[in-house]
Amino acid sequence: MDVIALLPRLHLLRFPVGQAYLWHDGREGGAGGLTLIDAGPAGSGAPIARALTALGRHPRDVHRIVLTHFHEDHAGGAAEVAALTGAEVLAHRLDAPHVRGEVPGPPPVFEDWERPLHERAVRLLPPPDFEHPGSVTELDDGDVLGLGGGAHVVHVPGHTHGSIALHLPRHGVLFTGDTVAASPVDGAVMPGVFNLDRGAVLTACHRLAALGAEVACFGHGDPVTAGAARALRAAAEDASRADGDGAAGR
């Protein structure tokens, strides 16, 4: 696992598939302490604990784990990390039953070109029979969490029914989950893949662009650390235009 400093209060934790983020409130922001946005795949507990130690922190400094959605590369490590840290696990109310393991989550509706990408990603993930956290605090659109001076939960269905973004307006930081991604080839910002509803994802991209964030942190691909709102807006407009042209040509 790679640990990359993005901002004085923000580190990226990069796994073989997907990534998580560590936000540090210090003595500011009310509740203080550390927050993980996503928890990586199963088996991520020990690497995250080692990363915290290398940063001069203790696992028990992590107060909460906010999951952007239920997919195993983001939520698979949640139970293990919660057990190591004692942190509260939070997810949108529509994805929370899948995170808890009460019901299986719906599979993505793949575009043909996405299937080989998904097959390669699955080969890099641990077996899917990971442990589920026993308790998950349910979130909804508009909830405000006690980190970063007030973190706004933004419900962005489309990738999953309960996908969320987390917006820290005081710091200009936006965590998009898999609603938005950056290309591993050229870093271009783009709507995420492996979705339930691509049209809803495009609507969500436009909504996220309107938040005016300076920094955007994606579930896959390099974050945008300056001018994120412009990049998100351009990506949403280009994708909507391409989809419209494709529909017109059929």
Side-chain angles (χ1 to χ4, degrees), residues 5-29:
L6 300 176
L7 297 171
R9 297 184 180 276
L10 179 62
H11 286 78
L12 180 153
L13 310 180
R14 179 165 284 157
F15 305 97
V17 177
Q19 50 209 28
Y21 295 88
L22 181 69
W23 178 265
H24 172 210
D25 267 317
R27 296 182 180 178
E28 197 178 335

Side-chain angles (χ1 to χ4, degrees), residues 23-170:
W23 178 265
H24 172 210
D25 267 317
R27 296 182 180 178
E28 197 178 335
L34 303 177
T35 297
L36 273 170
I37 295 88
D38 289 326
S44 297
I48 288 175
R50 288 194 295 269
L52 292 168
T53 301
L55 293 170
R57 303 303 298 263
H58 190 278
R60 291 284 168 178
D61 293 336
V62 178
H63 290 183
R64 63 182 74 77
I65 303 163
V66 182
L67 301 177
T68 61
H69 60 294
F70 74 84
H71 286 162
E72 62 197 77
D73 53 331
H74 295 262
E80 183 181 1
V81 177
L84 286 169
T85 63
E88 177 185 22
V89 178
L90 304 94
H92 190 273
R93 59 179 177 80
L94 295 180
D95 271 18
H98 312 316
V99 173
R100 288 190 292 260
E102 296 169 353
V103 292
V109 178
F110 292 111
E111 305 281 341
D112 288 342
W113 61 271
E114 293 178 335
R115 293 183 185 278
L117 297 178
H118 186 260
E119 290 169 4
R120 285 199 293 273
V122 167
R123 286 198 293 269
L124 294 173
L125 288 170
D129 56 342
F130 54 83
E131 184 181 355
H132 298 274
S135 176
V136 177
T137 299
E138 298 189 1
L139 301 173
D140 215 334
D141 188 60
D143 288 347
V144 180
L145 307 181
L147 64 133
H152 295 245
V153 175
V154 185
H155 183 208
V156 282
H159 184 66
T160 68
H161 294 310
S163 284
I164 60 170
L166 200 64
H167 182 215
L168 280 58
R170 180 172 176 177

